[in-house]
Amino acid sequence: MKAISYRRYGGPEVLEYGELPDPKVGPDEVLVRVRAAAVNPVDWKAQAGYLDGMFETVFPVVPGWDVSGVVVRPGVSVTEFAEGDEVMGYVREDFLCHGTFAEYVAAPIRTLARKPRAYSFEEAAGLPLAGLTAYQSLHTALGVRPGETVLVLAAAGGVGSLAVQIARHLGCRVLGAARASGRDRVAELGAEPVDLDEETFTRRVRELAPDGVHAVLDTLGGPFLPHAARLLAPGGRLASIADGEVLALGGRYYWVRPDAADLAALADLADEGVLTVRVDRTFPLEQTAEAQRANAAGGLHGKVVVTVP
Ligand SMILES: NC(=O)c1ccc[n+]([C@@H]2O[C@H](COP(=O)([O-])OP(=O)(O)OC[C@H]3O[C@@H](n4cnc5c(N)ncnc54)[C@H](OP(=O)(O)O)[C@@H]3O)[C@@H](O)[C@H]2O)c1
């Protein structure tokens, strides 16, 4: 199959485009013909070696964890999916080797759900990793409830924009903190915008929520995290997906898990029109390095997606 891979840690320059053997399909995996794979910051962080202490790495590594595509062959014990099913997945295994920037990936069924009918393959590829992170952070890490006020840091980003939509759907009031360039996007998603500006951030949140916020979801890290921690109402909860310093602030550091039931819930929300995924840029598979550069450069308010026609 045609695939993107790297043989040593590094930036986009280590990516190679060429032939690799087709994946073997385990008993509880399905072979997916990839149609689209979204780029996430973790792809280029893993490729740079930052996750070396966390995941065994078997070179050459095909990067990429997000996927949408079509099942071409279910494993011998799979009854959940059949040939021709359109699926999406967060195909994170316990080691780095078989990713989604390729024509085919063998995906464990615990990482997959049906593709939302209302979504294109490109949109569906942008949902699993960011959507599961937002969904699980709000439900599992923060336990948000209807009527609560939730502050989301970096609310215009991939995870942040989905967190805003999910929290709104749960009946929360959402304050969405973003750079000034993301203000309109945050408002469009249904949150009350707060500029990520050192001068005005705390004052603005206190104006909007004088009694404090019930929950903070940090998808940014850095100096706004301790500021946000001070804005919690008594008993308020704090979680970060981007900064381990959250533990020192009494909050929870959350890592997204592959979960077929949560992913199926996201597919339902997508089909009900609750969740939209904005795709900003697409690149063909052989230009995955360019796609990574576009994601790392920031300034987009939607996903960067690699397509495999
Ligand atoms: N723990 C987990 O399970 C987990 C899961 C998913 C993601 N993450 C991490 O969470 C973070 C966000 O992921 P994502 O997929 O949402 O990324 P993304 O789509 O690239 O969005 C990042 C957002 O952060 C904003 N931003 C970046 N630097 C900023 C700064 N200095 N000041 C203000 N805003 C800034 C960006 O705004 P601009 O576009 O204006 O730059 C953008 O809106 C990444 O660090 C990622 O690795 C962790």
Side-chain angles (χ1 to χ4, degrees):
M1 66 172 178
K2 291 272 189 283
I4 294 291
S5 64
Y6 56 93
R7 289 165 199 280
R8 61 184 171 87
Y9 289 136
E13 73 286 351
V14 301
L15 293 179
E16 299 169 24
Y17 174 69
E19 283 290 334
L20 283 181
D22 285 354
K24 294 177 181 170
V25 185
D28 55 0
E29 296 182 329
V30 297
L31 186 65
V32 176
R33 170 62 169 90
V34 178
R35 294 290 306 275
V39 180
N40 289 284
V42 74
D43 299 332
W44 40 267
K45 291 179 185 178
Q47 187 178 309
Y50 300 153
L51 305 187
D52 191 64
M54 213 181 226
F55 291 94
E56 290 294 336
T57 302
V58 184
F59 294 105
V61 176
V62 176
W65 280 342
D66 259 338
V67 75
S68 69
V70 180
V71 172
V72 288
R73 182 155 54 91
V76 287
S77 79
V78 172
T79 53
E80 292 83 348
F81 298 98
E83 184 184 342
D85 285 352
E86 296 185 344
V87 292
M88 63 176 180
Y90 165 44
V91 190
R92 169 159 79 73
E93 300 188 49
D94 297 334
F95 59 103
L96 296 178
C97 184
H98 306 300
T100 57
F101 294 120
E103 281 181 308
Y104 295 95
V105 66
I109 54 169
R110 68 187 162 80
T111 68
L112 288 182
R114 67 171 181 83
K115 168 185 157 296
R117 280 178 286 277
Y119 277 21
S120 65
F121 281 108
E122 288 81 1
E123 290 166 324
L127 184 58
L129 192 156
L132 283 172
T133 307
Y135 186 91
Q136 294 171 0
S137 299
L138 292 167
H139 283 283
T140 310
L142 290 168
V144 303
R145 295 182 287 271
E148 290 193 320
T149 301
V150 180
L151 170 62
V152 177
L153 300 185
V159 177
S161 61
L162 286 159
V164 169
Q165 297 175 73
I166 294 168
R168 292 281 295 136
H169 177 68
L170 290 171
C172 297
R173 178 186 179 205
V174 184
L175 313 185
R179 285 198 236 252
S181 57
R183 196 185 295 148
D184 291 348
R185 174 70 179 144
V186 167
E188 179 187 300
L189 292 166
E192 294 163 64
V194 174
D195 283 355
L196 279 171
D197 176 303
E198 284 272 0
E199 298 278 305
T200 61
F201 172 76
T202 298
R203 190 170 68 239
R204 171 77 173 145
V205 176
R206 287 217 168 103
E207 276 167 16
L208 292 170
D211 297 329
V213 299
H214 300 104
V216 171
L217 174 56
D218 168 47
T219 76
L220 177 61
F224 287 98
L225 176 59
H227 293 328
R230 286 192 284 274
L231 294 164
L232 285 171
R237 290 94 66 207
L238 175 67
S240 179
I241 59 159
D243 195 338
E245 288 301 312
V246 70
L247 298 172
L249 296 165
R252 180 158 176 197
Y253 186 53
Y254 192 77
W255 245 85
V256 57
R257 294 178 180 168
D259 186 300
D262 288 351
L263 200 52
L266 288 169
D268 289 343
L269 291 175
D271 279 336
E272 288 160 21
V274 171
L275 289 184
T276 57
V277 170
R278 187 160 117 181
V279 176
D280 250 345
R281 298 195 63 185
T282 60
F283 293 84
L285 180 63
E286 58 271 31
Q287 289 176 22
T288 299
E290 283 312 307
Q292 275 190 357
R293 287 189 183 97
N295 178 247
L300 303 172
H301 296 132
K303 299 296 291 186
V304 174
V305 175
V306 166
T307 57
V308 192

